Amino acid sequence: MPEPEPPAYDPLEPGEGEAIAPTGAGGPMDLALDEAESLEKTLGDKPAGSGPKEKPRSLWSDAWHQLRRNPVFVISSLVILFLVVISIWPQLIASGDPLQCDLSKSQQGASPGHPFGYDTQGCDVYTRTVYGARASITVGVCATLGAAVLGSALGGFAGFFGGWGDSLLSRVADIFFGIPVILGGLVFLSVVTSTTVWPVVGFIVLLGWPQLARIARGSVITAKQNDYVQAARALGAGNARMLLRHVGPNAIAPVIVVATIALGTYIALEATLSFLGVGLRPPTVSWGIDISNAASQIRNAPHMLLWPAGALSLTVLAFIMLGDAVRDALDPKLR
């Protein structure tokens, strides 16, 4: 009786040390057990394609991911951080008193311990430049926060609800847009006798909110037309929930960008008003006041003007660069 032919492949019994798998060519392919175990550890117990997927990044996380790799953002952030630190603790790098002056050293140049020289009153220019950051940063930050909060609230409500409130806000904003900033500051601040920063902050907020209100209004009008807002409305969400949970977070990005850039502009505006004599007043230490005092002595003692003007320019440039970097990160069209 003829013997039966052997099968095309004969898998080994478990425990013999090897496994044989069929190939597309019809022949056997031997896999060592250690390689099979390594492959199993790599793939895991779950089948291929069923592993956890990476969570998609939101607009803010994606923007932060891009900002960390932007050298413009890193450099401007470090400069601003340094300015904020010395505005809070100026004694870290300046041990003198900005109001302590010696007329015998009037307009003298740099000397050991006084690298920036002295001004007309014999005050140390280095110490006054360091302490001048406090007033400028305070005015810029407080004015920006006030204008952003007021403008975002008014513009957001007007854009979301529309109607006569939207029309009224637009006409009021047009009135404020028609007021020249410098002329308005000369009129408004000339009747104020306070020597603190708050009248200047209030004036900047008064003339700065319409710009941010228009930005917020347009952004809210665009955001409320999206499908997720219509779905939330269909599910019965109220106006407050839609505005705070759905529309607001997706409409705030343009306001942040414009406010960041405007912060540097507000610092320059404070210095301009102080230079004209209607902004901050002595004994407040301000870059604008020092620039005003040094303008008439620019030929005899240029160092009096160089250092406060350079610090002001560096501060404004840092905030504008920061705003540009934030704009590039939050605007998908610029990527």
Side-chain angles (χ1 to χ4, degrees):
M1 182 176 180
E3 297 180 358
E5 296 181 359
Y9 66 93
D10 187 12
L12 297 177
E13 295 294 334
E16 294 189 32
E18 293 185 345
I20 300 177
T23 62
M29 178 180 66
D30 296 339
L31 296 176
L33 282 179
D34 55 349
E35 296 179 357
E37 293 175 357
S38 177
L39 181 61
E40 183 179 1
K41 291 179 180 179
T42 303
L43 296 178
D45 297 334
K46 296 182 180 180
S50 63
K53 296 182 180 179
E54 183 181 357
K55 184 179 180 180
R57 291 197 297 258
S58 63
L59 172 64
W60 301 103
S61 60
D62 191 33
W64 174 242
H65 180 77
Q66 182 178 353
L67 285 173
R68 289 182 301 175
R69 290 159 176 78
N70 190 344
V72 175
F73 173 79
V74 174
I75 295 174
S76 59
S77 298
L78 292 177
V79 173
I80 292 173
L81 178 61
F82 173 74
L83 292 171
V84 171
V85 170
I86 67 171
S87 65
I88 299 176
W89 300 288
Q91 62 274 12
L92 293 176
I93 60 174
S95 57
D97 185 357
L99 300 179
Q100 184 178 0
C101 306
D102 186 357
L103 284 175
S104 62
K105 300 179 180 180
S106 175
Q107 298 185 10
Q108 290 185 8
S111 62
H114 305 278
F116 294 175
Y118 298 88
D119 62 7
T120 304
Q121 301 297 324
C123 303
D124 185 20
V125 176
Y126 171 77
T127 303
R128 290 186 63 87
T129 302
V130 173
Y131 276 81
R134 173 177 293 178
S136 297
I137 296 297
T138 301
V139 170
V141 172
C142 293
T144 302
L145 289 177
V149 172
L150 181 61
S152 299
L154 295 178
F157 281 110
F160 186 79
F161 293 103
W164 64 268
D166 186 15
S167 301
L168 178 62
L169 177 71
S170 299
R171 302 293 77 78
V172 172
D174 290 339
I175 295 175
F176 280 94
F177 277 123
I179 301 176
V181 177
I182 301 300
L183 180 60
L186 290 173
V187 174
F188 179 81
L189 296 175
S190 61
V191 298
V192 178
T193 58
S194 176
T195 59
T196 63
V197 301
W198 302 117
V200 180
V201 171
F203 168 74
I204 296 176
V205 171
L206 182 64
L207 293 187
W209 72 265
Q211 179 188 16
L212 295 174
R214 281 196 169 182
I215 298 296
R217 173 183 175 274
S219 184
V220 167
I221 291 176
T222 302
K224 74 176 185 179
Q225 297 175 357
N226 292 327
D227 293 338
Y228 57 84
V229 178
Q230 304 301 327
R233 187 185 299 274
L235 292 174
N239 290 330
R241 180 179 179 84
M242 286 191 296
L243 186 59
L244 297 177
R245 295 290 301 273
H246 302 287
V247 176
N250 292 281
I252 197 64
V255 178
I256 294 177
V257 172
V258 175
T260 306
I261 299 177
L263 199 155
T265 306
Y266 294 159
I267 293 177
L269 177 60
E270 176 273 318
T272 302
L273 295 173
S274 299
F275 177 84
L276 295 175
V278 296
L280 301 181
R281 298 180 175 88
T284 304
V285 181
S286 167
W287 290 332
I289 296 176
D290 290 347
I291 293 173
S292 177
N293 295 333
S296 60
Q297 304 295 330
I298 187 172
R299 292 185 177 181
N300 301 328
H303 65 274
M304 294 172 49
L305 178 65
L306 176 64
W307 297 110
L312 174 64
S313 301
L314 179 63
T315 303
V316 175
L317 178 62
F319 279 105
I320 292 178
M321 291 172 58
L322 179 67
D324 289 341
V326 174
R327 179 198 59 191
D328 295 343
L330 292 178
D331 191 351
K333 297 179 182 179
L334 298 178
R335 298 178 187 176

